[in-house]
Amino acid sequence: TSPPHTITSLSSGINAEYGGYDGNGPDHTSARLERWLQLSDSKEEGVDGDDVNVQVVNLTTPAQYYHLLRRQMLRPFRKPVIVMSPKALLRSPDAVSDIEDFAPGTTFKRVINDAVAHPEHVKRVLVCSGRHYYTLSKHRTDLNDATTAIVRVEEICPFPAAELQAELSKYPKAEVVWAQEESRNGGAWSFVSTRVRNILGIEMGYAGRRECAAAAVGVASIHAAEVKEIIAAAFSHCE
């Protein structure tokens, strides 16, 4: 993550970090996304460009992974990439892509819109990243909820301010909430909320675990209770 002007060679390495909140202990749960983001020189009060020292992504589809690798090879500059890659997504029947997603003319999407929600009905926009999207999407389907939109931030750093603003502008009357699996003092919450407030002028709500010194509790019953709590918080406007 050293800035290019301090070293004599550039890095284009791709570091896949495995983790995910499946009820295991701390060592098998978090890839410490927040620490990778803290290593970046991303601006808190300005729009990031290609000069940011590191790229941090949290992908949701095979096509996105393919386009990320392709982009990394074709770009005229070299920057390291940190990929959050929970093993659960490798086994998930939901994390799939159509062949059309790999066709000519398709590219990496820094932000993925909600293709299901109708903006005129939406009361709350859940902004999330990575595998948590599938948990939120399933719960929305179970509730038959037509008032919630889910927007995915695939590239967290450099922060996609313009792309996210374009998506949120579709829902001018909706509440905006950041949803994550991690505790409040972990994950991307601090990184994202600061930039959404300073750059986009939006105060986001929060739906995730409470502050915790450890990455996970490591107790199955408590883990299950936490899952119910954070999902209920994300969809509280429906209750």
Side-chain angles (χ1 to χ4, degrees):
T1 59
S2 298
H5 67 272
T6 66
I7 53 178
T8 57
S9 62
L10 302 179
S11 171
S12 59
I14 299 175
N15 186 2
E17 292 290 330
Y18 297 101
Y21 281 72
D22 298 314
N24 297 314
D27 294 342
H28 301 279
T29 295
S30 176
R32 291 297 186 182
L33 171 60
E34 66 278 2
R35 295 182 182 177
W36 291 109
L37 293 171
Q38 288 166 359
L39 290 173
S40 77
D41 57 4
S42 169
K43 307 178 188 67
E44 289 190 354
E45 298 183 345
V47 178
D48 287 335
D50 292 333
D51 57 337
V52 175
N53 64 321
V54 65
Q55 305 163 81
V56 182
V57 300
N58 199 1
L59 311 178
T60 56
T61 71
Q64 281 287 89
Y65 211 138
Y66 165 77
H67 288 301
L68 173 74
L69 298 177
R70 185 172 181 271
R71 184 184 73 169
Q72 185 73 349
M73 295 302 299
L74 294 177
R75 276 183 160 179
F77 57 86
R78 292 288 178 259
K79 295 290 174 67
V81 181
I82 310 301
V83 184
M84 297 293 113
S85 304
K87 294 180 181 178
L89 284 188
L90 298 175
R91 305 184 296 269
S92 174
D94 298 319
V96 296
S97 297
D98 294 328
I99 191 65
E100 292 79 9
D101 296 331
F102 300 88
T106 56
T107 59
F108 179 75
K109 298 177 181 178
R110 303 178 70 196
V111 175
I112 297 181
N113 67 343
D114 192 324
V116 177
H118 297 282
E120 63 273 15
H121 299 148
V122 171
K123 297 180 180 179
R124 175 176 288 194
V125 181
L126 298 178
V127 185
C128 65
S129 189
R131 58 168 265 171
H132 195 42
Y133 162 75
Y134 292 103
T135 304
L136 297 171
S137 180
K138 180 180 183 303
H139 193 73
R140 179 175 64 174
T141 301
D142 293 342
L143 290 176
N144 194 25
D145 176 17
T147 64
T148 300
I150 306 175
V151 175
R152 286 173 273 176
V153 178
E154 299 279 294
E155 182 173 69
I156 305 172
C157 180
F159 186 67
E163 293 88 341
L164 184 56
Q165 186 173 39
E167 289 304 320
L168 296 181
S169 66
K170 299 176 182 178
Y171 316 99
K173 298 181 180 180
E175 176 188 15
V176 180
V177 175
W178 175 260
Q180 67 177 30
E181 293 182 300
E182 297 90 347
S183 57
R184 193 180 182 107
N185 57 320
W189 160 248
S190 296
F191 185 92
V192 172
S193 61
T194 301
R195 286 155 180 79
V196 169
R197 180 175 61 252
N198 293 344
I199 302 172
L200 305 187
I202 298 174
E203 287 290 342
M204 301 179 79
Y206 172 79
R209 284 175 166 81
R210 303 171 185 175
E211 294 84 351
C212 185
V217 292
V219 179
S221 59
I222 300 178
H223 170 79
E226 286 182 339
V227 172
K228 291 181 179 180
E229 181 180 334
I230 65 175
I231 295 300
F235 291 89
S236 60
H237 72 296
C238 301
E239 299 173 358

PDB file of all heavy atoms in Angstrom, residues 124 126 136 139 175 177-179 205-209 226-239:
ATOM      1  N   ARG A 124     -37.095   2.983   1.890  1.00  0.00           N
ATOM      2  CA  ARG A 124     -35.762   2.847   2.478  1.00  0.00           C
ATOM      3  C   ARG A 124     -34.827   2.208   1.461  1.00  0.00           C
ATOM      4  O   ARG A 124     -35.179   1.244   0.788  1.00  0.00           O
ATOM      5  CB  ARG A 124     -35.815   1.994   3.746  1.00  0.00           C
ATOM      6  CG  ARG A 124     -34.426   1.700   4.348  1.00  0.00           C
ATOM      7  CD  ARG A 124     -34.492   0.938   5.648  1.00  0.00           C
ATOM      8  NE  ARG A 124     -34.974   1.775   6.741  1.00  0.00           N
ATOM      9  CZ  ARG A 124     -34.877   1.452   8.021  1.00  0.00           C
ATOM     10  NH1 ARG A 124     -34.332   0.306   8.372  1.00  0.00           N
ATOM     11  NH2 ARG A 124     -35.333   2.247   8.962  1.00  0.00           N
ATOM     12  N   LEU A 126     -31.289   0.297   1.300  1.00  0.00           N
ATOM     13  CA  LEU A 126     -30.214  -0.369   2.022  1.00  0.00           C
ATOM     14  C   LEU A 126     -28.976  -0.386   1.132  1.00  0.00           C
ATOM     15  O   LEU A 126     -28.999  -0.946   0.044  1.00  0.00           O
ATOM     16  CB  LEU A 126     -30.617  -1.794   2.393  1.00  0.00           C
ATOM     17  CG  LEU A 126     -31.820  -1.949   3.322  1.00  0.00           C
ATOM     18  CD1 LEU A 126     -32.115  -3.422   3.565  1.00  0.00           C
ATOM     19  CD2 LEU A 126     -31.591  -1.228   4.646  1.00  0.00           C
ATOM     20  N   LEU A 136     -29.853  -9.964   2.847  1.00  0.00           N
ATOM     21  CA  LEU A 136     -30.855  -8.907   2.788  1.00  0.00           C
ATOM     22  C   LEU A 136     -31.887  -9.179   1.698  1.00  0.00           C
ATOM     23  O   LEU A 136     -33.094  -9.002   1.899  1.00  0.00           O
ATOM     24  CB  LEU A 136     -30.179  -7.559   2.542  1.00  0.00           C
ATOM     25  CG  LEU A 136     -29.217  -7.061   3.616  1.00  0.00           C
ATOM     26  CD1 LEU A 136     -28.471  -5.833   3.127  1.00  0.00           C
ATOM     27  CD2 LEU A 136     -29.956  -6.755   4.916  1.00  0.00           C
ATOM     28  N   HIS A 139     -34.342 -11.922   2.721  1.00  0.00           N
ATOM     29  CA  HIS A 139     -35.309 -11.470   3.716  1.00  0.00           C
ATOM     30  C   HIS A 139     -36.352 -10.557   3.072  1.00  0.00           C
ATOM     31  O   HIS A 139     -37.543 -10.629   3.422  1.00  0.00           O
ATOM     32  CB  HIS A 139     -34.595 -10.722   4.840  1.00  0.00           C
ATOM     33  CG  HIS A 139     -35.437 -10.487   6.045  1.00  0.00           C
ATOM     34  ND1 HIS A 139     -35.778 -11.484   6.935  1.00  0.00           N
ATOM     35  CD2 HIS A 139     -36.060  -9.362   6.509  1.00  0.00           C
ATOM     36  CE1 HIS A 139     -36.539 -10.993   7.895  1.00  0.00           C
ATOM     37  NE2 HIS A 139     -36.728  -9.711   7.660  1.00  0.00           N
ATOM     38  N   GLU A 175     -35.296   6.895   2.960  1.00  0.00           N
ATOM     39  CA  GLU A 175     -34.248   6.865   3.985  1.00  0.00           C
ATOM     40  C   GLU A 175     -33.103   5.998   3.477  1.00  0.00           C
ATOM     41  O   GLU A 175     -33.318   4.970   2.841  1.00  0.00           O
ATOM     42  CB  GLU A 175     -34.816   6.276   5.275  1.00  0.00           C
ATOM     43  CG  GLU A 175     -33.811   6.102   6.394  1.00  0.00           C
ATOM     44  CD  GLU A 175     -34.381   5.344   7.572  1.00  0.00           C
ATOM     45  OE1 GLU A 175     -35.448   4.709   7.407  1.00  0.00           O
ATOM     46  OE2 GLU A 175     -33.758   5.375   8.652  1.00  0.00           O
ATOM     47  N   VAL A 177     -29.779   3.729   4.470  1.00  0.00           N
ATOM     48  CA  VAL A 177     -29.201   2.991   5.597  1.00  0.00           C
ATOM     49  C   VAL A 177     -28.049   2.125   5.099  1.00  0.00           C
ATOM     50  O   VAL A 177     -28.167   1.446   4.070  1.00  0.00           O
ATOM     51  CB  VAL A 177     -30.267   2.093   6.274  1.00  0.00           C
ATOM     52  CG1 VAL A 177     -29.639   1.239   7.373  1.00  0.00           C
ATOM     53  CG2 VAL A 177     -31.391   2.935   6.845  1.00  0.00           C
ATOM     54  N   TRP A 178     -26.937   2.171   5.820  1.00  0.00           N
ATOM     55  CA  TRP A 178     -25.826   1.264   5.528  1.00  0.00           C
ATOM     56  C   TRP A 178     -26.030  -0.023   6.322  1.00  0.00           C
ATOM     57  O   TRP A 178     -26.199   0.006   7.532  1.00  0.00           O
ATOM     58  CB  TRP A 178     -24.482   1.884   5.893  1.00  0.00           C
ATOM     59  CG  TRP A 178     -23.333   0.929   5.713  1.00  0.00           C
ATOM     60  CD1 TRP A 178     -22.711   0.207   6.684  1.00  0.00           C
ATOM     61  CD2 TRP A 178     -22.719   0.571   4.481  1.00  0.00           C
ATOM     62  NE1 TRP A 178     -21.724  -0.577   6.142  1.00  0.00           N
ATOM     63  CE2 TRP A 178     -21.702  -0.379   4.778  1.00  0.00           C
ATOM     64  CE3 TRP A 178     -22.904   0.951   3.155  1.00  0.00           C
ATOM     65  CZ2 TRP A 178     -20.893  -0.941   3.797  1.00  0.00           C
ATOM     66  CZ3 TRP A 178     -22.092   0.387   2.180  1.00  0.00           C
ATOM     67  CH2 TRP A 178     -21.102  -0.536   2.502  1.00  0.00           C
ATOM     68  N   ALA A 179     -26.016  -1.169   5.643  1.00  0.00           N
ATOM     69  CA  ALA A 179     -26.211  -2.468   6.287  1.00  0.00           C
ATOM     70  C   ALA A 179     -24.951  -3.304   6.138  1.00  0.00           C
ATOM     71  O   ALA A 179     -24.414  -3.446   5.035  1.00  0.00           O
ATOM     72  CB  ALA A 179     -27.401  -3.193   5.660  1.00  0.00           C
ATOM     73  N   GLY A 205     -28.319   6.013   7.979  1.00  0.00           N
ATOM     74  CA  GLY A 205     -28.576   5.223   9.161  1.00  0.00           C
ATOM     75  C   GLY A 205     -27.662   4.008   9.169  1.00  0.00           C
ATOM     76  O   GLY A 205     -26.953   3.732   8.196  1.00  0.00           O
ATOM     77  N   TYR A 206     -27.691   3.266  10.267  1.00  0.00           N
ATOM     78  CA  TYR A 206     -26.798   2.112  10.414  1.00  0.00           C
ATOM     79  C   TYR A 206     -27.597   0.885  10.829  1.00  0.00           C
ATOM     80  O   TYR A 206     -28.440   0.947  11.733  1.00  0.00           O
ATOM     81  CB  TYR A 206     -25.718   2.402  11.453  1.00  0.00           C
ATOM     82  CG  TYR A 206     -24.878   1.195  11.816  1.00  0.00           C
ATOM     83  CD1 TYR A 206     -23.854   0.771  10.984  1.00  0.00           C
ATOM     84  CD2 TYR A 206     -25.119   0.471  12.990  1.00  0.00           C
ATOM     85  CE1 TYR A 206     -23.087  -0.348  11.299  1.00  0.00           C
ATOM     86  CE2 TYR A 206     -24.360  -0.642  13.308  1.00  0.00           C
ATOM     87  CZ  TYR A 206     -23.339  -1.036  12.460  1.00  0.00           C
ATOM     88  OH  TYR A 206     -22.589  -2.142  12.775  1.00  0.00           O
ATOM     89  N   ALA A 207     -27.341  -0.238  10.171  1.00  0.00           N
ATOM     90  CA  ALA A 207     -27.954  -1.518  10.534  1.00  0.00           C
ATOM     91  C   ALA A 207     -26.869  -2.582  10.503  1.00  0.00           C
ATOM     92  O   ALA A 207     -26.478  -3.070   9.445  1.00  0.00           O
ATOM     93  CB  ALA A 207     -29.084  -1.874   9.571  1.00  0.00           C
ATOM     94  N   GLY A 208     -26.353  -2.910  11.661  1.00  0.00           N
ATOM     95  CA  GLY A 208     -25.284  -3.898  11.762  1.00  0.00           C
ATOM     96  C   GLY A 208     -25.065  -4.262  13.215  1.00  0.00           C
ATOM     97  O   GLY A 208     -25.832  -3.866  14.096  1.00  0.00           O
ATOM     98  N   ARG A 209     -24.018  -5.018  13.480  1.00  0.00           N
ATOM     99  CA  ARG A 209     -23.731  -5.407  14.849  1.00  0.00           C
ATOM    100  C   ARG A 209     -23.267  -4.215  15.683  1.00  0.00           C
ATOM    101  O   ARG A 209     -22.743  -3.243  15.154  1.00  0.00           O
ATOM    102  CB  ARG A 209     -22.661  -6.514  14.865  1.00  0.00           C
ATOM    103  CG  ARG A 209     -23.212  -7.880  14.477  1.00  0.00           C
ATOM    104  CD  ARG A 209     -22.090  -8.930  14.379  1.00  0.00           C
ATOM    105  NE  ARG A 209     -22.631 -10.279  14.325  1.00  0.00           N
ATOM    106  CZ  ARG A 209     -23.119 -10.857  13.227  1.00  0.00           C
ATOM    107  NH1 ARG A 209     -23.126 -10.193  12.080  1.00  0.00           N
ATOM    108  NH2 ARG A 209     -23.609 -12.089  13.267  1.00  0.00           N
ATOM    109  N   GLU A 226     -27.787 -12.305  16.987  1.00  0.00           N
ATOM    110  CA  GLU A 226     -27.248 -11.110  16.336  1.00  0.00           C
ATOM    111  C   GLU A 226     -27.729 -11.006  14.895  1.00  0.00           C
ATOM    112  O   GLU A 226     -28.045  -9.916  14.409  1.00  0.00           O
ATOM    113  CB  GLU A 226     -25.723 -11.138  16.370  1.00  0.00           C
ATOM    114  CG  GLU A 226     -25.122 -10.839  17.726  1.00  0.00           C
ATOM    115  CD  GLU A 226     -23.607 -10.836  17.691  1.00  0.00           C
ATOM    116  OE1 GLU A 226     -23.020 -11.442  16.762  1.00  0.00           O
ATOM    117  OE2 GLU A 226     -22.995 -10.225  18.584  1.00  0.00           O
ATOM    118  N   VAL A 227     -27.774 -12.142  14.194  1.00  0.00           N
ATOM    119  CA  VAL A 227     -28.250 -12.137  12.814  1.00  0.00           C
ATOM    120  C   VAL A 227     -29.679 -11.620  12.741  1.00  0.00           C
ATOM    121  O   VAL A 227     -30.023 -10.772  11.902  1.00  0.00           O
ATOM    122  CB  VAL A 227     -28.143 -13.544  12.188  1.00  0.00           C
ATOM    123  CG1 VAL A 227     -28.827 -13.574  10.822  1.00  0.00           C
ATOM    124  CG2 VAL A 227     -26.696 -13.963  12.058  1.00  0.00           C
ATOM    125  N   LYS A 228     -30.539 -12.120  13.618  1.00  0.00           N
ATOM    126  CA  LYS A 228     -31.925 -11.662  13.647  1.00  0.00           C
ATOM    127  C   LYS A 228     -31.998 -10.166  13.957  1.00  0.00           C
ATOM    128  O   LYS A 228     -32.820  -9.431  13.390  1.00  0.00           O
ATOM    129  CB  LYS A 228     -32.712 -12.448  14.693  1.00  0.00           C
ATOM    130  CG  LYS A 228     -32.938 -13.914  14.333  1.00  0.00           C
ATOM    131  CD  LYS A 228     -33.753 -14.619  15.411  1.00  0.00           C
ATOM    132  CE  LYS A 228     -33.999 -16.079  15.053  1.00  0.00           C
ATOM    133  NZ  LYS A 228     -34.787 -16.773  16.107  1.00  0.00           N
ATOM    134  N   GLU A 229     -31.136  -9.715  14.852  1.00  0.00           N
ATOM    135  CA  GLU A 229     -31.159  -8.310  15.261  1.00  0.00           C
ATOM    136  C   GLU A 229     -30.779  -7.377  14.119  1.00  0.00           C
ATOM    137  O   GLU A 229     -31.444  -6.357  13.891  1.00  0.00           O
ATOM    138  CB  GLU A 229     -30.198  -8.110  16.434  1.00  0.00           C
ATOM    139  CG  GLU A 229     -30.151  -6.683  16.967  1.00  0.00           C
ATOM    140  CD  GLU A 229     -29.184  -6.521  18.126  1.00  0.00           C
ATOM    141  OE1 GLU A 229     -28.930  -7.510  18.841  1.00  0.00           O
ATOM    142  OE2 GLU A 229     -28.676  -5.402  18.318  1.00  0.00           O
ATOM    143  N   ILE A 230     -29.708  -7.706  13.388  1.00  0.00           N
ATOM    144  CA  ILE A 230     -29.254  -6.794  12.335  1.00  0.00           C
ATOM    145  C   ILE A 230     -30.191  -6.809  11.127  1.00  0.00           C
ATOM    146  O   ILE A 230     -30.357  -5.793  10.455  1.00  0.00           O
ATOM    147  CB  ILE A 230     -27.800  -7.093  11.913  1.00  0.00           C
ATOM    148  CG1 ILE A 230     -27.665  -8.471  11.270  1.00  0.00           C
ATOM    149  CG2 ILE A 230     -26.865  -6.960  13.098  1.00  0.00           C
ATOM    150  CD1 ILE A 230     -26.252  -8.750  10.739  1.00  0.00           C
ATOM    151  N   ILE A 231     -30.817  -7.948  10.864  1.00  0.00           N
ATOM    152  CA  ILE A 231     -31.785  -7.995   9.771  1.00  0.00           C
ATOM    153  C   ILE A 231     -33.043  -7.218  10.141  1.00  0.00           C
ATOM    154  O   ILE A 231     -33.611  -6.472   9.338  1.00  0.00           O
ATOM    155  CB  ILE A 231     -32.141  -9.448   9.413  1.00  0.00           C
ATOM    156  CG1 ILE A 231     -30.909 -10.168   8.850  1.00  0.00           C
ATOM    157  CG2 ILE A 231     -33.276  -9.497   8.404  1.00  0.00           C
ATOM    158  CD1 ILE A 231     -30.346  -9.544   7.594  1.00  0.00           C
ATOM    159  N   ALA A 232     -33.476  -7.359  11.390  1.00  0.00           N
ATOM    160  CA  ALA A 232     -34.650  -6.618  11.861  1.00  0.00           C
ATOM    161  C   ALA A 232     -34.388  -5.112  11.794  1.00  0.00           C
ATOM    162  O   ALA A 232     -35.266  -4.320  11.425  1.00  0.00           O
ATOM    163  CB  ALA A 232     -35.000  -7.035  13.282  1.00  0.00           C
ATOM    164  N   ALA A 233     -33.170  -4.692  12.123  1.00  0.00           N
ATOM    165  CA  ALA A 233     -32.813  -3.274  12.068  1.00  0.00           C
ATOM    166  C   ALA A 233     -32.857  -2.758  10.638  1.00  0.00           C
ATOM    167  O   ALA A 233     -33.300  -1.629  10.378  1.00  0.00           O
ATOM    168  CB  ALA A 233     -31.434  -3.058  12.671  1.00  0.00           C
ATOM    169  N   ALA A 234     -32.402  -3.584   9.703  1.00  0.00           N
ATOM    170  CA  ALA A 234     -32.376  -3.164   8.301  1.00  0.00           C
ATOM    171  C   ALA A 234     -33.775  -2.957   7.744  1.00  0.00           C
ATOM    172  O   ALA A 234     -34.010  -2.069   6.918  1.00  0.00           O
ATOM    173  CB  ALA A 234     -31.610  -4.196   7.464  1.00  0.00           C
ATOM    174  N   PHE A 235     -34.727  -3.782   8.190  1.00  0.00           N
ATOM    175  CA  PHE A 235     -36.092  -3.727   7.649  1.00  0.00           C
ATOM    176  C   PHE A 235     -37.092  -3.203   8.681  1.00  0.00           C
ATOM    177  O   PHE A 235     -38.275  -3.479   8.583  1.00  0.00           O
ATOM    178  CB  PHE A 235     -36.520  -5.114   7.181  1.00  0.00           C
ATOM    179  CG  PHE A 235     -35.790  -5.600   5.958  1.00  0.00           C
ATOM    180  CD1 PHE A 235     -34.602  -6.308   6.072  1.00  0.00           C
ATOM    181  CD2 PHE A 235     -36.287  -5.329   4.688  1.00  0.00           C
ATOM    182  CE1 PHE A 235     -33.918  -6.746   4.952  1.00  0.00           C
ATOM    183  CE2 PHE A 235     -35.616  -5.775   3.560  1.00  0.00           C
ATOM    184  CZ  PHE A 235     -34.427  -6.468   3.680  1.00  0.00           C
ATOM    185  N   SER A 236     -36.640  -2.433   9.658  1.00  0.00           N
ATOM    186  CA  SER A 236     -37.508  -2.000  10.751  1.00  0.00           C
ATOM    187  C   SER A 236     -38.651  -1.134  10.276  1.00  0.00           C
ATOM    188  O   SER A 236     -39.701  -1.076  10.914  1.00  0.00           O
ATOM    189  CB  SER A 236     -36.692  -1.265  11.811  1.00  0.00           C
ATOM    190  OG  SER A 236     -36.064  -0.113  11.243  1.00  0.00           O
ATOM    191  N   HIS A 237     -38.497  -0.450   9.147  1.00  0.00           N
ATOM    192  CA  HIS A 237     -39.575   0.409   8.667  1.00  0.00           C
ATOM    193  C   HIS A 237     -40.759  -0.398   8.151  1.00  0.00           C
ATOM    194  O   HIS A 237     -41.847   0.126   7.960  1.00  0.00           O
ATOM    195  CB  HIS A 237     -39.064   1.315   7.539  1.00  0.00           C
ATOM    196  CG  HIS A 237     -38.804   0.600   6.246  1.00  0.00           C
ATOM    197  ND1 HIS A 237     -37.849  -0.377   6.124  1.00  0.00           N
ATOM    198  CD2 HIS A 237     -39.416   0.694   5.040  1.00  0.00           C
ATOM    199  CE1 HIS A 237     -37.861  -0.833   4.882  1.00  0.00           C
ATOM    200  NE2 HIS A 237     -38.799  -0.221   4.206  1.00  0.00           N
ATOM    201  N   CYS A 238     -40.539  -1.732   7.940  1.00  0.00           N
ATOM    202  CA  CYS A 238     -41.617  -2.597   7.440  1.00  0.00           C
ATOM    203  C   CYS A 238     -42.456  -3.188   8.555  1.00  0.00           C
ATOM    204  O   CYS A 238     -43.475  -3.815   8.302  1.00  0.00           O
ATOM    205  CB  CYS A 238     -41.027  -3.740   6.608  1.00  0.00           C
ATOM    206  SG  CYS A 238     -40.063  -3.192   5.187  1.00  0.00           S
ATOM    207  N   GLU A 239     -41.999  -3.054   9.794  1.00  0.00           N
ATOM    208  CA  GLU A 239     -42.640  -3.744  10.905  1.00  0.00           C
ATOM    209  C   GLU A 239     -43.674  -2.881  11.608  1.00  0.00           C
ATOM    210  O   GLU A 239     -43.637  -1.658  11.506  1.00  0.00           O
ATOM    211  CB  GLU A 239     -41.557  -4.198  11.894  1.00  0.00           C
ATOM    212  CG  GLU A 239     -40.569  -5.169  11.260  1.00  0.00           C
ATOM    213  CD  GLU A 239     -39.412  -5.494  12.179  1.00  0.00           C
ATOM    214  OE1 GLU A 239     -39.353  -4.934  13.314  1.00  0.00           O
ATOM    215  OE2 GLU A 239     -38.565  -6.288  11.783  1.00  0.00           O
TER     216      GLU A 239
END
